[in-house]
Each structure stands twice: as C-alpha cells, then as structure tokens.
C-alpha cells in the first residue's frame, strides 16, 4: 500500500546512543550484596521513508553491559523492527509492525555458599497490527491485534560445571484490543476491552510457567487544560484464568495520572495503578501489582536540568503467595554540552522485601553517562 509513495520521498535517519559508567552495590540483584563497576552501552537507529500519510520506518537497537568483576551478569541485546503506516482519504489509518529481538542474559545460581554463573539465549518475534477508524463527531475507534513468540535456548553454566538445561519455557502471547474515544473540547472519554491468550510450554515439575487467559475492560477519561495540565483516570476489571484450574479471579484495575507544569521551569507528574503483571514476575503465573510514582524536574538553565523521583510498589505473587514490597528513589542532573550531546549524572536507590522467602535486597546504583542524538 505504501510502496508507490516512496518514489519521490526523502529518507531521513537518526541515531541515539549513550555510554554510561556505573557503580552498583548489588551487581547480582539479590540479598547477597556484591559491589562492582560496569559499563553500559546503548544505541538505536531509525531510518524513515515516505511522508505524513504513507511512511515506513526501519529500526535497530542494541544494549550491552560489561562488569569489571562479576562478568556472569553481563547482558547483550539486539533488536530489529519494521513499521509501516498509511492514512486513507476515508479516515482510515493502518499501521503494522514486525520486530525481532535476541538477548543473551547473564544470571547466577546460588548453591549454598557458592554462586554459579549461567547464561541463556532468548529470541522474540513479534507482529502487531492496528486499524484506526474516524467515526465522525470527534469519535475514533482503534482495533489492535498482535502475536509474540518467545523461544528460549538451553541455559549454559559457568565453566560447564553443570550440563546445559532448559530452565525457561517457550511462550506465545496473542493479544486483541479495542478502544473507542470521544473528545469534547479539553475532555476525552473512552472505553476499552482487551484479551491476552498466553500459551506456555510445560517445563519442569512443578512447571516453571503456566498458560493462562486474561480479559479486561475499562472506562477512561483524560482532561488537558489550556496551561498544559493533564489529568487521566481509568477504572475497570481484569479476569485472569489459569490453565488446569490453578487460579481464576476477577480483580479491579485502575490507573490515575497527572502532569502539571509549574512556574520557573518546574514540572511535576505522577501515576498510581493496579493491575495483573505477567511479563515481569517471579511467579510461574503472574503477580498482582500496585505501584505509585512521583517525579519532578526543574530546568534551572537552558542547558541544565535537574530531576528526582520516587516509587513504592507491592507485587503479590499469585501461586507462590509471596509479597514483594519495594520502594526507591532517584536523582538526576543533565547538562547539555551541545545541541545533540548531553552529560548525565544519576543516582538510583531501591529496597525490596520478600515476605514468604524472607529476603531483603538493597541496591544503590550511581553512574555518569554521555548521551548523543544524531
């Protein structure tokens, strides 16, 4: 659909990258605090073709960490993506994305007083499509469908002290969503529904992952004032239904957000939400997550920006019945050296308590980094 539009189009490319030097008090993210220095390198490349009504974007990104001492925690990731967009005269908008990502994750396996390094290669292929329909009277309908296939290779252990083993299951996530929005001046009202069907390979006994279905529906409202203040609220419910009758429950889901520009270059924003969390959970099924965040930034000069934030969250593992209580704080100073280059100094501090397994993790991470846009 968009190929003919590229004939006379001027392509554009952009690159963003950062090089950071960190010191962390907890390189292994565990209750065994081990301090270490590490280097973090990130980069992304975007190449756009076409025009506003018909375009395509090629993207690539990479990330790599290298620890000075705890090299078993080194991670590497590479991603590729292709996105195509087309707007038709009938008020119909079409968007599709294909992506591929491969990661090499370093981790550790504690065995009594000994810590054994291990590494796993994972590959994720994702396809996502979106249709936007202008229904008139400032009303829009968005339909989405996507599928993500994750394949995990065997885990290799440090110095081959243990044979290679499959520790992570293969996973397929198929998702459908629909959202309708009506705008009344500064106010937008909407409703949405979603379905997530997750199939997890049965691996281990008891299994390390569980297949499930998740359905959600909610009402949404957003208000944007003339001075840039924004307020948002969403309230609904989510049903999580695990395979083999392991878990089935409906819970309320919500999200509250606000952003407020204040005098003298100060900005304040915050969010509070509650929902099921299945992609970032230590539980074989999922967790129930509640999280609150508050962030503020101050531009003291055109080239100097200060920012700080804090968070508090409770993550309830559904099958393990373990609760993770976390809180943290960050402070960041950014100095714009040139229009395309910035120097960043940041501190992150967090503490996590896990009830059933009685684990306490505390981490302080500081870094100085250079970020560039070309």
């Amino acid at each position: 659909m968009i190929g003919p539009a590229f004939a006379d189009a001027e392509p554009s490319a952009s690159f963003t990258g950062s090089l950071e030097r960190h010191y962390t008090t907890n390189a292994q993210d565990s209750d065994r605090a081990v301090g270490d220095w590490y280097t973090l390198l990130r980069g992304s490349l975007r190449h756009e073709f076409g025009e506003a009504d018909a375009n395509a974007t090629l993207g690539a990104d990479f990330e790599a960490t290298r620890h000075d001492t705890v090299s078993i925690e080194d991670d590497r990731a590479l991603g590729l993506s292709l996105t195509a967009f087309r707007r038709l005269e009938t008020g119909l908008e079409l968007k599709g994305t294909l992506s591929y990502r491969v990661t090499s994750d370093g981790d550790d396996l504690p065995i009594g007083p000994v810590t054994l390094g291990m590494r796993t290669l994972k590959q994720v292929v994702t396809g996502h499509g979106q249709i936007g329909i202008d229904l008139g009277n400032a009303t829009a309908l968005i339909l989405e469908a996507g599928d993500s296939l994750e394949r995990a290779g065997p885990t290799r252990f440090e110095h081959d002290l243990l044979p290679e083993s499959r520790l992570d299951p293969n996973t397929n996530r198929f998702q459908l969503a629909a959202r309708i929005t009506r705008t009344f001046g500064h106010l937008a009202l909407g409703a949405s529904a979603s379905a997530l069907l997750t199939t997890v390979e049965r691996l281990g006994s008891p299994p390390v992952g569980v297949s499930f279905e998740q359905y959600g529906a909610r009402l949404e409202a957003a208000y944007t004032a003339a001075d840039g203040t924004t307020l948002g609220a969403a309230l609904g419910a989510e049903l999580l239904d695990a395979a083999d009758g392991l878990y089935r429950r409906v819970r309320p889901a919500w999200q509250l957000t606000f952003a407020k520009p204040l005098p003298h270059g100060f900005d304040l924003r915050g969010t509070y939400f509650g929902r099921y969390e299945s992609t970032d959970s230590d539980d074989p099924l999922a967790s129930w997550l509640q999280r609150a965040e508050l962030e503020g930034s101050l531009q003291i000069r055109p080239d100097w920006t200060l920012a700080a934030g804090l968070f508090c969250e409770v993550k309830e593992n559904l099958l393990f019945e373990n609760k993770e209580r976390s809180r943290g704080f960050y402070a960041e100073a950014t100095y714009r050296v040139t229009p395309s280059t910035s120097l960043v100094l940041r501190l992150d501090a967090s503490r996590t308590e896990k009830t059933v397994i009685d684990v306490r993790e505390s981490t302080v991470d500081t870094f100085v980094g250079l970020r560039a846009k070309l």
Side-chain angles (χ1 to χ4, degrees):
M1 293 181 294
I2 60 178
F6 297 155
D8 301 320
E10 289 290 336
S12 62
S14 61
F15 174 80
T16 61
S18 65
L19 178 63
E20 302 169 1
R21 182 64 173 166
H22 290 244
Y23 177 76
T24 177
T25 62
N26 191 358
Q28 296 176 318
D29 292 327
S30 70
D31 57 338
R32 298 180 180 181
V34 177
D36 196 11
W37 288 89
Y38 68 93
T39 302
L40 172 59
L41 178 65
R42 288 194 183 103
S44 65
L45 176 66
R46 289 172 55 87
H47 200 79
E48 298 181 0
F49 304 85
E51 51 192 20
D53 292 337
N55 56 69
T57 302
L58 293 173
D61 66 271
F62 67 89
E63 180 175 321
T65 59
R66 187 180 186 278
H67 290 72
D68 288 4
T69 303
V70 192
S71 60
I72 57 175
E73 297 292 338
D74 292 348
D75 296 326
R76 294 178 290 275
L78 173 66
L80 303 172
S81 65
L82 170 62
T83 300
F85 172 80
R86 180 69 185 269
R87 181 184 292 114
L88 304 178
E89 295 181 357
T90 57
L92 192 68
E93 294 184 357
L94 307 175
K95 184 177 181 181
T97 301
L98 291 174
S99 66
Y100 168 77
R101 188 166 186 84
V102 57
T103 61
S104 176
D105 297 327
D107 207 344
D108 60 271
L109 177 65
I111 307 176
V114 178
T115 298
L116 183 62
M118 56 186 188
R119 181 165 299 278
T120 305
L121 184 70
K122 296 181 180 180
Q123 301 179 78
V124 181
V125 178
T126 302
H128 183 265
Q130 186 180 83
I131 300 175
I133 306 172
D134 184 358
L135 301 178
N137 297 319
T139 303
L141 174 65
I142 299 176
L143 305 176
E144 299 181 60
D147 192 73
S148 177
L149 181 62
E150 178 180 306
R151 288 290 180 262
T155 297
R156 296 182 291 106
F157 295 92
E158 190 177 14
H159 305 308
D160 296 325
L161 295 178
L162 294 175
E164 294 185 357
S165 302
R166 285 284 311 284
L167 301 182
D168 297 294
N170 296 328
T171 304
N172 186 79
R173 294 181 175 90
F174 178 70
Q175 189 166 15
L176 296 171
R179 174 180 287 104
I180 187 169
T181 305
R182 178 77 179 269
T183 303
F184 304 88
H186 296 286
L187 178 66
L189 301 177
S192 64
S194 63
L196 174 63
L197 311 179
T198 302
T199 303
V200 182
E201 176 189 16
R202 189 171 184 87
L203 185 65
S205 182
V208 296
V210 177
S211 300
F212 65 89
E213 298 178 359
Q214 181 179 338
Y215 303 94
R218 66 181 189 175
L219 299 175
E220 305 170 357
Y223 176 78
T224 303
D227 64 353
T229 300
T230 61
L231 300 172
L235 178 63
E238 293 182 353
L239 165 65
L240 187 68
D241 187 8
D244 303 322
L246 293 177
Y247 183 92
R248 180 181 172 87
R249 185 173 177 182
V250 177
R251 291 203 182 196
W254 67 88
Q255 179 165 317
L256 304 173
T257 62
F258 79 92
K260 175 68 176 178
L262 298 174
H264 309 295
F266 189 75
D267 286 298
L268 189 66
R269 65 182 64 244
T271 182
Y272 172 53
F273 64 83
R275 66 168 187 254
Y276 283 115
E277 175 59 63
S278 59
T279 57
D280 183 17
S281 174
D282 294 330
D283 192 82
L285 175 59
S287 298
W288 174 251
L289 174 64
Q290 299 182 66
R291 181 180 175 100
E293 301 173 357
L294 182 65
E295 297 179 325
S297 64
L298 174 64
Q299 188 168 3
I300 55 178
R301 294 191 336 190
D303 55 352
W304 268 107
T305 303
L306 303 178
L310 53 87
F311 78 91
C312 180
E313 74 173 33
V314 177
K315 186 182 292 185
E316 177 187 344
N317 299 149
L318 300 181
L319 297 185
F320 284 160
E321 299 182 349
N322 178 64
K323 285 188 177 180
E324 302 177 15
R325 297 187 176 94
S326 303
R327 57 189 182 276
F329 167 83
Y330 87 88
E332 181 179 282
T334 304
Y335 174 64
R336 192 175 64 184
V337 182
T338 69
S340 60
T341 307
S342 298
L343 186 66
V344 182
L345 178 64
R346 181 176 171 118
L347 178 145
D348 287 272
S350 64
R351 178 171 295 178
T352 301
E353 299 175 359
K354 302 180 181 181
T355 58
V356 173
I357 57 179
D358 193 23
V359 168
R360 290 170 174 81
E361 302 173 1
S362 181
T363 303
V364 176
D365 187 292
T366 61
F367 79 81
V368 58
L370 188 67
R371 296 174 180 171
K373 298 180 180 180
L374 303 175

